[in-house]
Amino acid sequence: MKLPIALSNKHVHLSQADVDALFGEGYQLTPFKPLSQPGQYACEEKVTVVGPKGQQTMRVLGPVRPESQVEVSLADARGLGLAVPVRQSGDVEGTPAFKLVGPKGEVECEKGIIVAARHIHMSLEDAEKFGVKDKDVVSVKTEGLRGLTFHNVLVRANANFALEMHVDIEEGNAAGVKNGDLVELIK
């Protein structure tokens, strides 16, 4: 069975406390464009992520979260001078420290930067169609001249999710895929 794939570029998720510190007390993020997952959006706002060897400007994604998190590729991490682990979203314990800089202030983050592990978002109905359940680990095959099989892909099934596999920009480029291409889930 086939599903769409999407390539995720570097980005930042912020807590409201960090939004306030970076953009001003009571600041509300400004939606720029909707993302594929219901209720998620790219924001007009950008912040600078600072590591020991460099800095990069990244777009903020909304809505706010309970805890701030930065998602980068391995190349982005090297450019910042950080040894960043590959993790599932939200698993930030033991990740490197970094700084966020916004137009109104700075935040020293003791943790929260990851290379996001590949995963599939799907509704509960889609999970049933594909014969999988939340937290299953599957493989996904791409086609074309650079076709390959991604292993260790986490299924994230939730009533509020839309069907889509997420890989970082480096993985997508290595496979020669672009946003919206169809890939095959294999077990």
Side-chain angles (χ1 to χ4, degrees), residues 1-98:
M1 294 184 67
K2 304 244 178 177
L3 65 146
I5 192 168
L7 286 63
S8 179
N9 205 351
K10 59 189 172 190
H11 61 272
V12 178
H13 300 281
L14 294 173
S15 67
Q16 187 60 52
D18 288 348
V19 169
D20 291 345
L22 297 167
F23 295 97
E25 190 67 32
Y27 189 88
Q28 298 295 307
L29 295 173
T30 310
F32 170 63
K33 69 176 183 177
L35 300 176
S36 62
Q37 294 306 306
Q40 304 292 307
Y41 52 90
C43 299
E44 293 282 352
E45 292 79 11
K46 295 180 182 178
V47 296
T48 301
V49 178
V50 181
K53 289 188 178 176
Q55 61 185 30
Q56 298 176 24
T57 300
M58 300 183 197
R59 186 168 300 278
V60 175
L61 300 186
V64 295
R65 291 194 173 181
E67 187 173 31
S68 293
Q69 175 178 294
V70 175
E71 296 181 26
V72 296
S73 70
L74 289 170
D76 295 327
R78 281 190 291 280
L80 292 167
L82 297 170
V84 177
V86 177
R87 299 271 183 87
Q88 292 299 327
S89 182
D91 182 7
V92 298
E93 287 305 316
T95 59
F98 59 95

Side-chain angles (χ1 to χ4, degrees), residues 1-6 118-120 122 126 129-132 137-144 147-155 163-167 175 177-178 180-187:
M1 294 184 67
K2 304 244 178 177
L3 65 146
I5 192 168
R118 57 185 81 110
H119 58 277
I120 300 170
M122 60 175 59
D126 285 328
K129 282 187 229 171
F130 280 89
V132 296
V137 177
V138 298
S139 295
V140 175
K141 181 180 173 187
T142 71
E143 300 294 332
L148 54 79
T149 301
F150 290 109
H151 298 287
N152 304 312
V153 181
L154 180 70
V155 172
L163 184 63
E164 189 171 65
M165 179 180 178
H166 289 174
V167 296
V177 296
K178 63 185 182 313
D181 282 356
L182 295 180
V183 295
E184 182 181 1
L185 187 145
I186 54 180
K187 296 179 194 176

Side-chain angles (χ1 to χ4, degrees), residues 119-135:
H119 58 277
I120 300 170
H121 290 277
M122 60 175 59
S123 68
L124 299 175
E125 293 81 14
D126 285 328
E128 189 174 320
K129 282 187 229 171
F130 280 89
V132 296
K133 63 185 181 319
D134 189 47
K135 296 191 174 39

